[in-house]
Amino acid sequence: MERVKTAVLLSGRGSNLQSLIDATADKNFPAEIVCVISNVPGAGGLERAAQAGLPTVTINHRNFNGREPFEEVLQKELENAEVELVCLAGFMRLLTKRFVDRWHNRMINIHPSLLPSYKGLHTHERALKDGVRFTGCTVHFVRAEMDTGPIIVQAAVPVHPGDDADALADRVLTAEHRCYPLALKIVAGEKTHVIDNLVETECVRAPDTMLLNPRDN
Ligand code: GAR
């Protein structure tokens, strides 16, 4: 089976990369990771990639004068590895419209909130401040405007009494590690049609249950 050649871009510890490494270890998974690229030298995710025997590249954005020259090198690396699909996994650099448009419907991102709520940084702190009873995470196709784009998978995660931002982040992260492999499987398996801002997915089912928070029993 031809698997979709996928790059993972990251800036940090790479726990989402790990979930993708684990999923793609199955030869029947429709995507394979062909390179892992970090804009931060020494990012923990690079070590995870090396452990898994994956090629790694570091492109330190600080060595470039502006976003475009950085992205030209990034583009070259992606082309060298014949990448077909890009996964942003804790990649904390904004990308230009030009780069994003090059990868239209071929680049996906994970974000730690139920988009379109809580775009940007400090999602868990802001959710706790607002007193929401649910937050979660989203995997979406990337568009030029930050944290926008057609939604592929979301997980709803309850806020517990007494949560601080770290506790909530941990609970959401556990959900992220299920969402990202599922989203990659759906996209690489060519099960999606993107129509405007909507993703239509073949052969998937929505859950039957709704959740109350607090519980009523
Ligand atoms: C994850 O929580 C991811 O959703 C978030 O960074 C973390 C990376 O963790 N991404 C963003 O905030 C992007 N806007 P990881 O390095 O352990 O995968």
Side-chain angles (χ1 to χ4, degrees):
M1 181 186 64
E2 276 285 305
R3 306 211 283 163
V4 176
K5 294 187 175 64
T6 303
V8 180
L9 273 51
L10 53 78
S11 307
R13 71 196 149 173
S15 71
N16 277 290
L17 165 69
Q18 190 67 54
S19 75
L20 298 179
I21 289 172
D22 295 346
T24 53
D26 177 351
K27 293 283 174 272
N28 291 318
F29 195 88
E32 61 175 328
I33 302 173
V34 294
C35 75
V36 175
I37 301 178
S38 173
N39 66 314
V40 176
L46 291 168
E47 180 60 34
R48 292 181 193 263
Q51 289 279 342
L54 297 173
T56 62
V57 179
T58 301
I59 310 171
N60 185 348
H61 64 273
R62 292 174 194 274
N63 294 342
F64 296 86
N65 197 0
R67 293 186 194 278
E68 282 87 358
F70 165 75
E71 288 173 358
E72 281 312 313
V73 174
L74 179 56
Q75 178 68 23
K76 286 252 156 57
E77 291 292 347
L78 296 172
E79 284 170 11
N80 285 346
E82 297 180 354
V83 168
E84 300 166 288
L85 185 66
V86 174
C87 292
L88 306 181
F91 183 71
M92 304 310 272
R93 285 297 288 168
L94 289 177
L95 295 163
T96 65
K97 177 169 167 24
R98 181 154 173 262
F99 185 85
V100 170
D101 287 350
R102 271 179 169 173
W103 290 91
H104 189 78
N105 291 350
R106 298 187 299 143
M107 179 157 62
I108 64 179
N109 177 48
I110 189 156
H111 182 76
S113 76
L114 286 173
L115 291 173
S117 291
Y118 305 115
K119 296 171 182 171
L121 298 173
H122 309 299
T123 54
H124 307 303
E125 286 87 344
R126 287 152 58 210
L128 286 172
K129 229 179 187 170
D130 285 343
V132 296
R133 293 296 188 254
F134 291 97
T135 182
C137 56
T138 304
V139 182
H140 62 97
F141 286 104
V142 177
R143 294 293 183 263
E145 207 179 314
M146 185 188 66
D147 298 330
T148 65
I151 292 169
I152 306 156
V153 176
Q154 289 187 310
V157 175
V159 178
H160 290 187
D163 269 350
D164 61 13
D166 287 344
L168 189 53
D170 281 351
R171 196 173 309 117
V172 171
L173 196 63
T174 302
E176 293 185 42
H177 297 159
R178 288 184 60 189
C179 274
Y180 219 165
L182 175 59
L184 180 56
K185 186 175 170 186
I186 288 171
V187 172
E190 295 182 343
K191 301 254 188 293
T192 57
H193 307 277
V194 184
I195 301 157
D196 298 325
N197 198 38
L198 299 183
V199 175
E200 279 181 8
T201 306
E202 292 166 21
C203 309
V204 290
R205 288 187 306 137
D208 298 316
T209 47
M210 66 124 180
L211 272 179
L212 286 178
N213 188 12
R215 297 160 64 131
D216 61 354
N217 62 3

